[in-house]
Amino acid sequence: MRWSAGWEGGPAVWRPRAGRRVPGLGEVWTVEWPHAQVRTAGDGAVALAVVGVCGASGNQLEGALELVRHRRWRELTRWPGSYLVAARSGPVFAVIGDLSGQHPVFYRHETVGTWWSTAATALARLDGAPVDPVALAAHLALGQPDVLAENSLFRSMRRVPFGYLLEITPDGARLVRYEPAEAEPADLREAAPVVRAALAEAVEARFDGRPVSCDLAGLDSTTLACLAARRQAVTAVTFADARLKDDDLSYAARTAAAVPGIGHYSVPGEKETVYYAAVDDITGLPVTDAPNAYTVTATIKRAVLGTVVDHQAPGVHFTGSAGDGLLSAPPVYIADLLRRRQHRRAWQHAQGHARLRNTSVWAVLAQHRAAARSTLPDEWRGTAAELQTGPRPWMPQDWRPAAFSPLLATADWMTTDARHQLAAALTSAADQLTDAPVSLAAWSEEQDLARVGTDVNGWRELALSEYGIEIAAPYLDNEVRRACLAVPAEQRGAPGHFKALLTEAFTGSGIVPGFVLDRRTKGGFSGVSYAGLVEHATVLRRLLGPSSRLGAMGLITEEPVAAMLTRAAARLPLAKGALHLAVAAEVWLRQLEQPVTWWEETRHVAAA
């Protein structure tokens, strides 16, 4: 697994096993990162390193030393690409992850210093810190990384919330916000050329002489393929399982015929290209630092990547992951419109969403009215009270009221004791929250993007370890995020205007064909999801049964899982998302039991 780590506080006793020291920054190492993706400038009192894909030139890195000297940290996060920043300015050492969790930062205090790392599991192995069951309960019940603020999934390991950096001085470590909680709003038409430029630069930053491939399915991935094809030949692949019943393949074929440089291949579905087909033997899955959704869809991803390497050498593979979250918006922004007393606009948008959902405008408004009058701390206290009562009857998540932190079905599968512990943690988090967000849409989008970022990291491990392919997710880049999220959610998510921001950005550019931008359909994975649930029900019952690690922690009980699998067999609606979360977490807990040597002593090799 690729990761980075560092120590501030005198000579380090430990160092990462197989780690390479980063020049000029003291006790800082990278593991498994290629030399070309670890770049430095300066030395001693003023020094800078970027780890990952960074579009800054060598001259720009040297020029940025002046930014480091004056601790203008945010400006170091404005280059194209996705990367970690480590910088020293005299007695201050700063570690800056990205905004979407591609480069998360964790830390822990020792008596004489501070450790930091992009891998929480590695820090936990320094002293055998166990998984924190309450933090994992929050992950399962709410699925929002920032709910418990600095709590990581391991006891005594702290995490740096998104938008913050870690600043370490001789006096200790502190968190500093470098990114505003909400972007300065920009009109969609004004932001469109900025979005187009940011995406083009993000794609350009990934070219390094290797072959390029790309998913070719929806509007998001198709746009990336078209941008990449302007630079060099692209091997484009479309997962075309007949059970999907969508029109991705026909649009992909038309795109490949219309855009020079795109060679297109379909990936036919097989019996095992379904959800959950890979979880029977977890030893075949790569170890990841957190539970991730690609555990569930691993065989599908393998089929796609296998098709790529059948037609070219391993290289860089573009994915449109996170495009949905940036280019559109869930209807929770209606609550923000009501909060701001924009009642006429809220009514207009509610009408549009009511038509899409075949319901009444009053039902849509009623779903958002309580959230418009609530705050995040109040909601957490309300959720804590709800957890103290018995489990709720299941209903589709879309039917429940809009909320800052919606309680997922997984919460109803936990034991009473686990629910009470989570309730206490939520109450404490509400009492300690000092920088509560105002916008429901902005908070929800940030949490959703962070979840996507963590999942893509899992996919990246699979692609690298099994195929030598580098996954590129430009929609998760800082500057692409900033450009898109500056457009208010009610403009990006307005009903009747499918991904209006991307359409505005590329219409008339000659880059993306017009028929692609005019598309109003979207593929889905329900067919292979249900097939996997039915075909691998026995595996899932065993995985989440009596020997379940989640069960031993009180985070899951057998009866509701069995009920969901029974519903799947009957092709009835069920809590698929909650089940995905539970399976991914169970696999991750079992993987943690595998022996992995993360550290060695600086004077002689020894496992930590």
Side-chain angles (χ1 to χ4, degrees), residues 87-126:
R88 188 179 305 283
S89 178
V92 177
F93 186 83
V95 188
I96 315 171
D98 69 313
L99 296 172
S100 301
Q102 298 284 274
H103 303 272
V105 179
F106 305 90
Y107 67 104
R108 57 177 290 162
H109 299 295
E110 303 281 354
T111 306
V112 294
T114 301
W115 281 103
W116 64 267
S117 175
T118 57
T121 310
L123 288 188
R125 286 295 185 267
L126 281 170

Side-chain angles (χ1 to χ4, degrees), residues 29-98:
W29 304 267
T30 62
V31 181
E32 297 293 331
W33 281 99
H35 285 279
Q37 293 187 26
V38 182
R39 301 164 60 207
T40 62
D43 200 350
V46 180
L48 166 70
V50 290
V51 182
V53 175
C54 179
S57 66
N59 288 338
Q60 285 176 311
L61 288 181
E62 290 292 337
L65 292 174
E66 192 64 19
L67 301 175
V68 174
R69 190 185 311 278
H70 294 286
R71 299 169 196 170
R72 292 161 58 183
W73 304 127
R74 186 174 187 269
E75 294 183 50
L76 302 175
T77 70
R78 304 299 303 265
W79 293 305
S82 178
Y83 54 91
L84 175 82
V85 174
R88 188 179 305 283
S89 178
V92 177
F93 186 83
V95 188
I96 315 171
D98 69 313

Side-chain angles (χ1 to χ4, degrees), residues 216-217 222 225-226 249-260 262 512-513 515-516:
L216 194 61
T222 299
C226 293
L249 183 59
S250 62
Y251 271 95
R254 286 184 67 188
T255 301
V259 179
I262 295 181
V512 183
F515 65 84
V516 173

Side-chain angles (χ1 to χ4, degrees), residues 9-34:
V13 176
W14 300 96
R15 66 186 178 201
R17 184 173 181 267
R20 290 204 314 269
R21 191 183 293 271
V22 177
L25 283 173
E27 307 281 16
V28 177
W29 304 267
T30 62
V31 181
E32 297 293 331
W33 281 99

Side-chain angles (χ1 to χ4, degrees), residues 18 137 219 282 395 408 440 468 596:
L219 181 53
I282 67 168
M395 69 171 64
L408 306 178
L440 173 55
V596 178

Side-chain angles (χ1 to χ4, degrees), residues 15 107 118 138-139 312 340 374 418 431 445 491 501 597 600:
R15 66 186 178 201
Y107 67 104
T118 57
H139 168 82
Q312 67 174 39
R340 299 196 299 262
S374 184
D431 293 341
E445 288 169 342
Q491 293 186 38
L501 178 54
T597 303
E600 61 188 23

